[in-house]
Amino acid sequence: FTAVPRAAARRSQKLAPGEAPAAVIGRANDELPALAARPGVHSVAVVIDPRHWELLHFTLWEDAAPPDPGEERYEVLHLSAPELDGIEAGQQW
């Protein structure tokens, strides 16, 4: 976390009807190390949005590189990160 992120990306993926959220998160977590290892990535996270029944991928980037297909990109104007050093890498539950 040495660099300050300048861009954020959001990608959504609809879940199939009846698909188990735990299985979806498990597969997404398996992909996170490769996503986090890409050059310029600050941090990555995945969540399930139960309201829209979709998987959301969030990525913070060190620069404002062009978006990948299917993702929305935003400029990060300020990142409030109190106690960021206390967040451990990896699964948080």
Side-chain angles (χ1 to χ4, degrees):
F1 299 124
T2 57
V4 175
R6 298 288 174 216
R10 177 187 179 272
R11 184 170 42 98
S12 65
Q13 174 186 345
K14 290 286 185 187
L15 301 182
E19 196 166 15
V24 173
I25 285 291
R27 288 192 303 271
N29 278 339
D30 290 344
E31 297 172 4
L32 285 183
L35 296 174
R38 293 181 294 178
V41 169
H42 177 275
S43 52
V44 294
V46 292
V47 299
I48 295 280
D49 176 355
R51 181 173 179 213
H52 297 105
W53 204 243
E54 60 187 2
L55 176 71
L56 299 174
H57 295 259
F58 294 99
T59 306
L60 290 176
W61 293 88
E62 294 175 3
D63 60 35
D68 290 333
E71 76 177 11
E72 302 165 0
R73 221 21 113 92
Y74 305 94
E75 180 181 7
V76 174
L77 299 175
H78 172 76
L79 180 66
S80 180
E83 301 183 37
L84 181 63
D85 294 334
I87 298 175
E88 296 179 20
Q91 188 169 320
Q92 300 298 309
W93 65 89

